[in-house]
Amino acid sequence: QVQPVESGGGLVQAGGSLRLSCAASGRTFSSTSMGWFRQAPGKEREFVACIRWDAGSTYYADSVKGRFTISRDNAKNTVYLHMNMLKPEDAAVYYCAAHYSGPYVLQASYNYWGQGTQVAVSS
């Protein structure tokens, strides 16, 4: 069992950067792939990025590719989402989740979710 807790959200100007953290409790963190999703007001939750349990592979939504980087530190039980060149359309609540089974881009493939952290981007 891996229980994620997100932090690091806030208000940033367009073009700026922000780093989100996801601290996860549980002894199985180092063997669990982790993902980030986001949900903007009035929109469905969407996949942002995922990192395999051993950091051997990373996956990104096309909308963030080249601007966002996902990383992890298994010694600290923490996953990060480095967000650069932020755009107003990146504003959303960002959720960290533990992958269970299935395609990384699907919410149903994740079984434990954090409460989310708000990211606002001013133009």
Side-chain angles (χ1 to χ4, degrees), residues 81-117:
L81 185 66
H82 307 260
M83 306 186 293
N84 298 316
M85 295 181 287
L86 282 160
K87 305 175 181 179
E89 50 264 41
D90 294 318
V93 176
Y94 282 72
Y95 298 91
C96 179
H99 181 260
Y100 175 67
S101 178
Y104 289 132
V105 298
L106 299 181
Q107 294 183 57
S109 300
Y110 297 77
N111 58 349
Y112 291 101
W113 293 79
Q115 294 300 306
T117 185

PDB file of all heavy atoms in Angstrom, residues 81-117:
ATOM      1  N   LEU A  81       7.529  16.419  -9.752  1.00  0.00           N
ATOM      2  CA  LEU A  81       7.135  16.871 -11.076  1.00  0.00           C
ATOM      3  C   LEU A  81       7.694  18.276 -11.254  1.00  0.00           C
ATOM      4  O   LEU A  81       7.244  19.224 -10.617  1.00  0.00           O
ATOM      5  CB  LEU A  81       5.618  16.880 -11.243  1.00  0.00           C
ATOM      6  CG  LEU A  81       5.122  17.219 -12.650  1.00  0.00           C
ATOM      7  CD1 LEU A  81       5.532  16.117 -13.638  1.00  0.00           C
ATOM      8  CD2 LEU A  81       3.609  17.423 -12.676  1.00  0.00           C
ATOM      9  N   HIS A  82       8.713  18.376 -12.096  1.00  0.00           N
ATOM     10  CA  HIS A  82       9.340  19.656 -12.379  1.00  0.00           C
ATOM     11  C   HIS A  82       8.610  20.266 -13.572  1.00  0.00           C
ATOM     12  O   HIS A  82       8.610  19.694 -14.659  1.00  0.00           O
ATOM     13  CB  HIS A  82      10.811  19.471 -12.712  1.00  0.00           C
ATOM     14  CG  HIS A  82      11.576  18.688 -11.692  1.00  0.00           C
ATOM     15  ND1 HIS A  82      12.366  19.274 -10.736  1.00  0.00           N
ATOM     16  CD2 HIS A  82      11.661  17.347 -11.468  1.00  0.00           C
ATOM     17  CE1 HIS A  82      12.920  18.336  -9.979  1.00  0.00           C
ATOM     18  NE2 HIS A  82      12.503  17.161 -10.403  1.00  0.00           N
ATOM     19  N   MET A  83       8.037  21.425 -13.353  1.00  0.00           N
ATOM     20  CA  MET A  83       7.237  22.066 -14.396  1.00  0.00           C
ATOM     21  C   MET A  83       7.901  23.364 -14.826  1.00  0.00           C
ATOM     22  O   MET A  83       8.079  24.274 -14.012  1.00  0.00           O
ATOM     23  CB  MET A  83       5.823  22.328 -13.890  1.00  0.00           C
ATOM     24  CG  MET A  83       5.130  21.080 -13.329  1.00  0.00           C
ATOM     25  SD  MET A  83       3.416  21.353 -12.885  1.00  0.00           S
ATOM     26  CE  MET A  83       3.628  22.487 -11.518  1.00  0.00           C
ATOM     27  N   ASN A  84       8.271  23.439 -16.074  1.00  0.00           N
ATOM     28  CA  ASN A  84       8.903  24.630 -16.638  1.00  0.00           C
ATOM     29  C   ASN A  84       8.024  25.217 -17.738  1.00  0.00           C
ATOM     30  O   ASN A  84       7.145  24.546 -18.275  1.00  0.00           O
ATOM     31  CB  ASN A  84      10.276  24.270 -17.210  1.00  0.00           C
ATOM     32  CG  ASN A  84      11.230  23.754 -16.163  1.00  0.00           C
ATOM     33  OD1 ASN A  84      11.318  24.306 -15.070  1.00  0.00           O
ATOM     34  ND2 ASN A  84      11.957  22.699 -16.505  1.00  0.00           N
ATOM     35  N   MET A  85       8.291  26.461 -18.063  1.00  0.00           N
ATOM     36  CA  MET A  85       7.564  27.156 -19.136  1.00  0.00           C
ATOM     37  C   MET A  85       6.058  26.985 -18.953  1.00  0.00           C
ATOM     38  O   MET A  85       5.343  26.629 -19.894  1.00  0.00           O
ATOM     39  CB  MET A  85       8.017  26.636 -20.488  1.00  0.00           C
ATOM     40  CG  MET A  85       9.466  26.938 -20.788  1.00  0.00           C
ATOM     41  SD  MET A  85       9.988  26.340 -22.415  1.00  0.00           S
ATOM     42  CE  MET A  85      10.059  24.578 -22.121  1.00  0.00           C
ATOM     43  N   LEU A  86       5.599  27.257 -17.762  1.00  0.00           N
ATOM     44  CA  LEU A  86       4.193  27.055 -17.447  1.00  0.00           C
ATOM     45  C   LEU A  86       3.301  27.981 -18.248  1.00  0.00           C
ATOM     46  O   LEU A  86       3.648  29.149 -18.508  1.00  0.00           O
ATOM     47  CB  LEU A  86       3.951  27.241 -15.953  1.00  0.00           C
ATOM     48  CG  LEU A  86       4.373  26.038 -15.105  1.00  0.00           C
ATOM     49  CD1 LEU A  86       4.573  26.437 -13.652  1.00  0.00           C
ATOM     50  CD2 LEU A  86       3.328  24.934 -15.209  1.00  0.00           C
ATOM     51  N   LYS A  87       2.156  27.447 -18.614  1.00  0.00           N
ATOM     52  CA  LYS A  87       1.174  28.184 -19.396  1.00  0.00           C
ATOM     53  C   LYS A  87      -0.120  28.299 -18.586  1.00  0.00           C
ATOM     54  O   LYS A  87      -0.367  27.481 -17.698  1.00  0.00           O
ATOM     55  CB  LYS A  87       0.871  27.438 -20.694  1.00  0.00           C
ATOM     56  CG  LYS A  87       2.085  27.124 -21.540  1.00  0.00           C
ATOM     57  CD  LYS A  87       1.695  26.278 -22.748  1.00  0.00           C
ATOM     58  CE  LYS A  87       2.900  25.934 -23.604  1.00  0.00           C
ATOM     59  NZ  LYS A  87       2.520  25.100 -24.774  1.00  0.00           N
ATOM     60  N   PRO A  88      -0.944  29.263 -18.889  1.00  0.00           N
ATOM     61  CA  PRO A  88      -2.229  29.377 -18.176  1.00  0.00           C
ATOM     62  C   PRO A  88      -3.048  28.087 -18.244  1.00  0.00           C
ATOM     63  O   PRO A  88      -3.748  27.750 -17.283  1.00  0.00           O
ATOM     64  CB  PRO A  88      -2.924  30.529 -18.906  1.00  0.00           C
ATOM     65  CG  PRO A  88      -1.798  31.390 -19.386  1.00  0.00           C
ATOM     66  CD  PRO A  88      -0.717  30.425 -19.766  1.00  0.00           C
ATOM     67  N   GLU A  89      -2.934  27.362 -19.330  1.00  0.00           N
ATOM     68  CA  GLU A  89      -3.704  26.119 -19.467  1.00  0.00           C
ATOM     69  C   GLU A  89      -3.165  24.974 -18.611  1.00  0.00           C
ATOM     70  O   GLU A  89      -3.764  23.910 -18.538  1.00  0.00           O
ATOM     71  CB  GLU A  89      -3.776  25.672 -20.931  1.00  0.00           C
ATOM     72  CG  GLU A  89      -2.451  25.619 -21.642  1.00  0.00           C
ATOM     73  CD  GLU A  89      -2.150  26.873 -22.439  1.00  0.00           C
ATOM     74  OE1 GLU A  89      -2.421  27.989 -21.947  1.00  0.00           O
ATOM     75  OE2 GLU A  89      -1.622  26.738 -23.573  1.00  0.00           O
ATOM     76  N   ASP A  90      -2.022  25.195 -17.953  1.00  0.00           N
ATOM     77  CA  ASP A  90      -1.502  24.193 -17.017  1.00  0.00           C
ATOM     78  C   ASP A  90      -2.142  24.321 -15.635  1.00  0.00           C
ATOM     79  O   ASP A  90      -1.949  23.453 -14.780  1.00  0.00           O
ATOM     80  CB  ASP A  90       0.015  24.329 -16.865  1.00  0.00           C
ATOM     81  CG  ASP A  90       0.772  23.998 -18.134  1.00  0.00           C
ATOM     82  OD1 ASP A  90       0.409  23.015 -18.804  1.00  0.00           O
ATOM     83  OD2 ASP A  90       1.744  24.729 -18.449  1.00  0.00           O
ATOM     84  N   ALA A  91      -2.887  25.384 -15.417  1.00  0.00           N
ATOM     85  CA  ALA A  91      -3.523  25.589 -14.121  1.00  0.00           C
ATOM     86  C   ALA A  91      -4.531  24.482 -13.847  1.00  0.00           C
ATOM     87  O   ALA A  91      -5.387  24.185 -14.689  1.00  0.00           O
ATOM     88  CB  ALA A  91      -4.221  26.945 -14.091  1.00  0.00           C
ATOM     89  N   ALA A  92      -4.406  23.864 -12.674  1.00  0.00           N
ATOM     90  CA  ALA A  92      -5.254  22.726 -12.338  1.00  0.00           C
ATOM     91  C   ALA A  92      -4.903  22.255 -10.932  1.00  0.00           C
ATOM     92  O   ALA A  92      -3.928  22.725 -10.331  1.00  0.00           O
ATOM     93  CB  ALA A  92      -5.044  21.582 -13.330  1.00  0.00           C
ATOM     94  N   VAL A  93      -5.689  21.329 -10.448  1.00  0.00           N
ATOM     95  CA  VAL A  93      -5.300  20.586  -9.250  1.00  0.00           C
ATOM     96  C   VAL A  93      -4.504  19.381  -9.735  1.00  0.00           C
ATOM     97  O   VAL A  93      -4.975  18.636 -10.600  1.00  0.00           O
ATOM     98  CB  VAL A  93      -6.518  20.139  -8.431  1.00  0.00           C
ATOM     99  CG1 VAL A  93      -6.067  19.294  -7.243  1.00  0.00           C
ATOM    100  CG2 VAL A  93      -7.321  21.346  -7.975  1.00  0.00           C
ATOM    101  N   TYR A  94      -3.328  19.220  -9.200  1.00  0.00           N
ATOM    102  CA  TYR A  94      -2.447  18.132  -9.603  1.00  0.00           C
ATOM    103  C   TYR A  94      -2.490  17.019  -8.556  1.00  0.00           C
ATOM    104  O   TYR A  94      -2.336  17.277  -7.359  1.00  0.00           O
ATOM    105  CB  TYR A  94      -1.019  18.641  -9.778  1.00  0.00           C
ATOM    106  CG  TYR A  94      -0.832  19.376 -11.076  1.00  0.00           C
ATOM    107  CD1 TYR A  94      -1.384  20.645 -11.264  1.00  0.00           C
ATOM    108  CD2 TYR A  94      -0.113  18.822 -12.134  1.00  0.00           C
ATOM    109  CE1 TYR A  94      -1.245  21.320 -12.470  1.00  0.00           C
ATOM    110  CE2 TYR A  94       0.047  19.494 -13.333  1.00  0.00           C
ATOM    111  CZ  TYR A  94      -0.522  20.729 -13.494  1.00  0.00           C
ATOM    112  OH  TYR A  94      -0.371  21.402 -14.697  1.00  0.00           O
ATOM    113  N   TYR A  95      -2.685  15.801  -9.057  1.00  0.00           N
ATOM    114  CA  TYR A  95      -2.802  14.637  -8.199  1.00  0.00           C
ATOM    115  C   TYR A  95      -1.668  13.652  -8.467  1.00  0.00           C
ATOM    116  O   TYR A  95      -1.303  13.405  -9.609  1.00  0.00           O
ATOM    117  CB  TYR A  95      -4.124  13.917  -8.453  1.00  0.00           C
ATOM    118  CG  TYR A  95      -5.347  14.733  -8.144  1.00  0.00           C
ATOM    119  CD1 TYR A  95      -5.944  15.516  -9.127  1.00  0.00           C
ATOM    120  CD2 TYR A  95      -5.909  14.722  -6.876  1.00  0.00           C
ATOM    121  CE1 TYR A  95      -7.068  16.268  -8.859  1.00  0.00           C
ATOM    122  CE2 TYR A  95      -7.043  15.463  -6.589  1.00  0.00           C
ATOM    123  CZ  TYR A  95      -7.619  16.233  -7.587  1.00  0.00           C
ATOM    124  OH  TYR A  95      -8.738  16.971  -7.305  1.00  0.00           O
ATOM    125  N   CYS A  96      -1.187  13.090  -7.393  1.00  0.00           N
ATOM    126  CA  CYS A  96      -0.195  12.019  -7.471  1.00  0.00           C
ATOM    127  C   CYS A  96      -0.910  10.703  -7.186  1.00  0.00           C
ATOM    128  O   CYS A  96      -1.815  10.657  -6.336  1.00  0.00           O
ATOM    129  CB  CYS A  96       0.896  12.275  -6.437  1.00  0.00           C
ATOM    130  SG  CYS A  96       2.199  11.034  -6.369  1.00  0.00           S
ATOM    131  N   ALA A  97      -0.506   9.657  -7.884  1.00  0.00           N
ATOM    132  CA  ALA A  97      -1.197   8.386  -7.707  1.00  0.00           C
ATOM    133  C   ALA A  97      -0.229   7.221  -7.862  1.00  0.00           C
ATOM    134  O   ALA A  97       0.766   7.318  -8.594  1.00  0.00           O
ATOM    135  CB  ALA A  97      -2.328   8.260  -8.721  1.00  0.00           C
ATOM    136  N   ALA A  98      -0.557   6.140  -7.195  1.00  0.00           N
ATOM    137  CA  ALA A  98       0.249   4.923  -7.248  1.00  0.00           C
ATOM    138  C   ALA A  98      -0.336   3.978  -8.293  1.00  0.00           C
ATOM    139  O   ALA A  98      -1.521   3.638  -8.248  1.00  0.00           O
ATOM    140  CB  ALA A  98       0.273   4.253  -5.883  1.00  0.00           C
ATOM    141  N   HIS A  99       0.515   3.552  -9.203  1.00  0.00           N
ATOM    142  CA  HIS A  99       0.061   2.677 -10.270  1.00  0.00           C
ATOM    143  C   HIS A  99      -0.137   1.255  -9.770  1.00  0.00           C
ATOM    144  O   HIS A  99       0.682   0.738  -8.992  1.00  0.00           O
ATOM    145  CB  HIS A  99       1.083   2.691 -11.408  1.00  0.00           C
ATOM    146  CG  HIS A  99       0.702   1.830 -12.566  1.00  0.00           C
ATOM    147  ND1 HIS A  99       1.237   0.559 -12.748  1.00  0.00           N
ATOM    148  CD2 HIS A  99      -0.164   2.034 -13.586  1.00  0.00           C
ATOM    149  CE1 HIS A  99       0.718   0.036 -13.834  1.00  0.00           C
ATOM    150  NE2 HIS A  99      -0.123   0.903 -14.372  1.00  0.00           N
ATOM    151  N   TYR A 100      -1.216   0.642 -10.206  1.00  0.00           N
ATOM    152  CA  TYR A 100      -1.501  -0.735  -9.795  1.00  0.00           C
ATOM    153  C   TYR A 100      -1.321  -1.707 -10.958  1.00  0.00           C
ATOM    154  O   TYR A 100      -0.506  -2.627 -10.896  1.00  0.00           O
ATOM    155  CB  TYR A 100      -2.921  -0.827  -9.235  1.00  0.00           C
ATOM    156  CG  TYR A 100      -3.355  -2.230  -8.896  1.00  0.00           C
ATOM    157  CD1 TYR A 100      -2.744  -2.924  -7.860  1.00  0.00           C
ATOM    158  CD2 TYR A 100      -4.362  -2.871  -9.619  1.00  0.00           C
ATOM    159  CE1 TYR A 100      -3.123  -4.216  -7.547  1.00  0.00           C
ATOM    160  CE2 TYR A 100      -4.748  -4.159  -9.321  1.00  0.00           C
ATOM    161  CZ  TYR A 100      -4.125  -4.822  -8.280  1.00  0.00           C
ATOM    162  OH  TYR A 100      -4.501  -6.116  -7.979  1.00  0.00           O
ATOM    163  N   SER A 101      -2.089  -1.467 -12.015  1.00  0.00           N
ATOM    164  CA  SER A 101      -2.034  -2.387 -13.149  1.00  0.00           C
ATOM    165  C   SER A 101      -2.706  -1.722 -14.341  1.00  0.00           C
ATOM    166  O   SER A 101      -3.683  -1.005 -14.178  1.00  0.00           O
ATOM    167  CB  SER A 101      -2.753  -3.699 -12.816  1.00  0.00           C
ATOM    168  OG  SER A 101      -2.743  -4.568 -13.931  1.00  0.00           O
ATOM    169  N   GLY A 102      -2.151  -1.959 -15.503  1.00  0.00           N
ATOM    170  CA  GLY A 102      -2.796  -1.462 -16.706  1.00  0.00           C
ATOM    171  C   GLY A 102      -2.057  -0.282 -17.300  1.00  0.00           C
ATOM    172  O   GLY A 102      -0.992   0.117 -16.819  1.00  0.00           O
ATOM    173  N   PRO A 103      -2.601   0.293 -18.370  1.00  0.00           N
ATOM    174  CA  PRO A 103      -1.944   1.412 -19.051  1.00  0.00           C
ATOM    175  C   PRO A 103      -1.714   2.609 -18.138  1.00  0.00           C
ATOM    176  O   PRO A 103      -2.601   2.993 -17.374  1.00  0.00           O
ATOM    177  CB  PRO A 103      -2.936   1.759 -20.170  1.00  0.00           C
ATOM    178  CG  PRO A 103      -3.720   0.510 -20.390  1.00  0.00           C
ATOM    179  CD  PRO A 103      -3.840  -0.125 -19.053  1.00  0.00           C
ATOM    180  N   TYR A 104      -0.563   3.208 -18.251  1.00  0.00           N
ATOM    181  CA  TYR A 104      -0.198   4.313 -17.370  1.00  0.00           C
ATOM    182  C   TYR A 104      -1.089   5.533 -17.558  1.00  0.00           C
ATOM    183  O   TYR A 104      -1.234   6.335 -16.641  1.00  0.00           O
ATOM    184  CB  TYR A 104       1.247   4.725 -17.625  1.00  0.00           C
ATOM    185  CG  TYR A 104       2.263   3.722 -17.141  1.00  0.00           C
ATOM    186  CD1 TYR A 104       3.310   3.315 -17.965  1.00  0.00           C
ATOM    187  CD2 TYR A 104       2.192   3.176 -15.864  1.00  0.00           C
ATOM    188  CE1 TYR A 104       4.248   2.407 -17.531  1.00  0.00           C
ATOM    189  CE2 TYR A 104       3.125   2.257 -15.418  1.00  0.00           C
ATOM    190  CZ  TYR A 104       4.153   1.875 -16.251  1.00  0.00           C
ATOM    191  OH  TYR A 104       5.077   0.968 -15.813  1.00  0.00           O
ATOM    192  N   VAL A 105      -1.680   5.697 -18.710  1.00  0.00           N
ATOM    193  CA  VAL A 105      -2.457   6.908 -18.986  1.00  0.00           C
ATOM    194  C   VAL A 105      -3.874   6.852 -18.424  1.00  0.00           C
ATOM    195  O   VAL A 105      -4.582   7.858 -18.449  1.00  0.00           O
ATOM    196  CB  VAL A 105      -2.511   7.190 -20.496  1.00  0.00           C
ATOM    197  CG1 VAL A 105      -1.112   7.437 -21.044  1.00  0.00           C
ATOM    198  CG2 VAL A 105      -3.211   6.054 -21.236  1.00  0.00           C
ATOM    199  N   LEU A 106      -4.289   5.722 -17.947  1.00  0.00           N
ATOM    200  CA  LEU A 106      -5.656   5.568 -17.464  1.00  0.00           C
ATOM    201  C   LEU A 106      -5.762   5.722 -15.950  1.00  0.00           C
ATOM    202  O   LEU A 106      -4.993   5.113 -15.202  1.00  0.00           O
ATOM    203  CB  LEU A 106      -6.212   4.195 -17.862  1.00  0.00           C
ATOM    204  CG  LEU A 106      -6.309   3.903 -19.350  1.00  0.00           C
ATOM    205  CD1 LEU A 106      -6.894   2.522 -19.581  1.00  0.00           C
ATOM    206  CD2 LEU A 106      -7.134   4.957 -20.058  1.00  0.00           C
ATOM    207  N   GLN A 107      -6.733   6.492 -15.498  1.00  0.00           N
ATOM    208  CA  GLN A 107      -6.938   6.669 -14.056  1.00  0.00           C
ATOM    209  C   GLN A 107      -7.240   5.338 -13.376  1.00  0.00           C
ATOM    210  O   GLN A 107      -6.814   5.099 -12.245  1.00  0.00           O
ATOM    211  CB  GLN A 107      -8.119   7.618 -13.815  1.00  0.00           C
ATOM    212  CG  GLN A 107      -7.893   9.046 -14.264  1.00  0.00           C
ATOM    213  CD  GLN A 107      -9.069   9.918 -13.912  1.00  0.00           C
ATOM    214  OE1 GLN A 107      -9.449  10.019 -12.747  1.00  0.00           O
ATOM    215  NE2 GLN A 107      -9.640  10.572 -14.913  1.00  0.00           N
ATOM    216  N   ALA A 108      -7.958   4.475 -14.072  1.00  0.00           N
ATOM    217  CA  ALA A 108      -8.350   3.192 -13.490  1.00  0.00           C
ATOM    218  C   ALA A 108      -7.159   2.297 -13.193  1.00  0.00           C
ATOM    219  O   ALA A 108      -7.296   1.292 -12.488  1.00  0.00           O
ATOM    220  CB  ALA A 108      -9.326   2.484 -14.423  1.00  0.00           C
ATOM    221  N   SER A 109      -5.994   2.628 -13.727  1.00  0.00           N
ATOM    222  CA  SER A 109      -4.796   1.822 -13.501  1.00  0.00           C
ATOM    223  C   SER A 109      -4.112   2.153 -12.177  1.00  0.00           C
ATOM    224  O   SER A 109      -3.123   1.522 -11.824  1.00  0.00           O
ATOM    225  CB  SER A 109      -3.805   2.027 -14.644  1.00  0.00           C
ATOM    226  OG  SER A 109      -4.373   1.648 -15.886  1.00  0.00           O
ATOM    227  N   TYR A 110      -4.640   3.153 -11.473  1.00  0.00           N
ATOM    228  CA  TYR A 110      -4.034   3.624 -10.232  1.00  0.00           C
ATOM    229  C   TYR A 110      -4.984   3.337  -9.073  1.00  0.00           C
ATOM    230  O   TYR A 110      -6.197   3.549  -9.184  1.00  0.00           O
ATOM    231  CB  TYR A 110      -3.732   5.118 -10.320  1.00  0.00           C
ATOM    232  CG  TYR A 110      -2.731   5.446 -11.401  1.00  0.00           C
ATOM    233  CD1 TYR A 110      -3.107   5.465 -12.737  1.00  0.00           C
ATOM    234  CD2 TYR A 110      -1.408   5.708 -11.093  1.00  0.00           C
ATOM    235  CE1 TYR A 110      -2.193   5.736 -13.744  1.00  0.00           C
ATOM    236  CE2 TYR A 110      -0.478   6.000 -12.082  1.00  0.00           C
ATOM    237  CZ  TYR A 110      -0.885   6.002 -13.405  1.00  0.00           C
ATOM    238  OH  TYR A 110       0.032   6.277 -14.388  1.00  0.00           O
ATOM    239  N   ASN A 111      -4.437   2.899  -7.954  1.00  0.00           N
ATOM    240  CA  ASN A 111      -5.319   2.513  -6.869  1.00  0.00           C
ATOM    241  C   ASN A 111      -5.211   3.374  -5.620  1.00  0.00           C
ATOM    242  O   ASN A 111      -6.070   3.282  -4.735  1.00  0.00           O
ATOM    243  CB  ASN A 111      -5.091   1.034  -6.483  1.00  0.00           C
ATOM    244  CG  ASN A 111      -3.656   0.736  -6.080  1.00  0.00           C
ATOM    245  OD1 ASN A 111      -2.768   1.553  -6.274  1.00  0.00           O
ATOM    246  ND2 ASN A 111      -3.435  -0.450  -5.536  1.00  0.00           N
ATOM    247  N   TYR A 112      -4.198   4.196  -5.513  1.00  0.00           N
ATOM    248  CA  TYR A 112      -4.103   5.109  -4.371  1.00  0.00           C
ATOM    249  C   TYR A 112      -3.813   6.517  -4.887  1.00  0.00           C
ATOM    250  O   TYR A 112      -2.902   6.707  -5.701  1.00  0.00           O
ATOM    251  CB  TYR A 112      -3.013   4.667  -3.389  1.00  0.00           C
ATOM    252  CG  TYR A 112      -3.363   3.390  -2.664  1.00  0.00           C
ATOM    253  CD1 TYR A 112      -2.806   2.178  -3.065  1.00  0.00           C
ATOM    254  CD2 TYR A 112      -4.266   3.390  -1.610  1.00  0.00           C
ATOM    255  CE1 TYR A 112      -3.125   1.008  -2.416  1.00  0.00           C
ATOM    256  CE2 TYR A 112      -4.586   2.218  -0.951  1.00  0.00           C
ATOM    257  CZ  TYR A 112      -4.020   1.030  -1.362  1.00  0.00           C
ATOM    258  OH  TYR A 112      -4.352  -0.141  -0.729  1.00  0.00           O
ATOM    259  N   TRP A 113      -4.583   7.475  -4.372  1.00  0.00           N
ATOM    260  CA  TRP A 113      -4.500   8.859  -4.835  1.00  0.00           C
ATOM    261  C   TRP A 113      -4.285   9.817  -3.679  1.00  0.00           C
ATOM    262  O   TRP A 113      -4.788   9.587  -2.565  1.00  0.00           O
ATOM    263  CB  TRP A 113      -5.805   9.249  -5.543  1.00  0.00           C
ATOM    264  CG  TRP A 113      -6.041   8.531  -6.820  1.00  0.00           C
ATOM    265  CD1 TRP A 113      -6.511   7.249  -6.965  1.00  0.00           C
ATOM    266  CD2 TRP A 113      -5.811   9.025  -8.137  1.00  0.00           C
ATOM    267  NE1 TRP A 113      -6.584   6.922  -8.304  1.00  0.00           N
ATOM    268  CE2 TRP A 113      -6.169   7.999  -9.038  1.00  0.00           C
ATOM    269  CE3 TRP A 113      -5.343  10.235  -8.642  1.00  0.00           C
ATOM    270  CZ2 TRP A 113      -6.060   8.161 -10.438  1.00  0.00           C
ATOM    271  CZ3 TRP A 113      -5.250  10.385 -10.020  1.00  0.00           C
ATOM    272  CH2 TRP A 113      -5.605   9.363 -10.900  1.00  0.00           C
ATOM    273  N   GLY A 114      -3.546  10.881  -3.960  1.00  0.00           N
ATOM    274  CA  GLY A 114      -3.417  11.948  -2.994  1.00  0.00           C
ATOM    275  C   GLY A 114      -4.600  12.892  -3.078  1.00  0.00           C
ATOM    276  O   GLY A 114      -5.492  12.724  -3.910  1.00  0.00           O
ATOM    277  N   GLN A 115      -4.587  13.897  -2.221  1.00  0.00           N
ATOM    278  CA  GLN A 115      -5.681  14.871  -2.162  1.00  0.00           C
ATOM    279  C   GLN A 115      -5.520  15.985  -3.200  1.00  0.00           C
ATOM    280  O   GLN A 115      -6.460  16.733  -3.446  1.00  0.00           O
ATOM    281  CB  GLN A 115      -5.769  15.477  -0.769  1.00  0.00           C
ATOM    282  CG  GLN A 115      -6.178  14.475   0.295  1.00  0.00           C
ATOM    283  CD  GLN A 115      -7.537  13.874   0.013  1.00  0.00           C
ATOM    284  OE1 GLN A 115      -8.515  14.581  -0.175  1.00  0.00           O
ATOM    285  NE2 GLN A 115      -7.604  12.541  -0.054  1.00  0.00           N
ATOM    286  N   GLY A 116      -4.360  16.109  -3.760  1.00  0.00           N
ATOM    287  CA  GLY A 116      -4.140  17.108  -4.796  1.00  0.00           C
ATOM    288  C   GLY A 116      -3.496  18.380  -4.273  1.00  0.00           C
ATOM    289  O   GLY A 116      -3.613  18.716  -3.091  1.00  0.00           O
ATOM    290  N   THR A 117      -2.829  19.088  -5.160  1.00  0.00           N
ATOM    291  CA  THR A 117      -2.243  20.382  -4.843  1.00  0.00           C
ATOM    292  C   THR A 117      -2.562  21.330  -5.997  1.00  0.00           C
ATOM    293  O   THR A 117      -2.467  20.960  -7.168  1.00  0.00           O
ATOM    294  CB  THR A 117      -0.720  20.265  -4.605  1.00  0.00           C
ATOM    295  OG1 THR A 117      -0.205  21.527  -4.176  1.00  0.00           O
ATOM    296  CG2 THR A 117       0.029  19.819  -5.848  1.00  0.00           C
TER     297      THR A 117
END
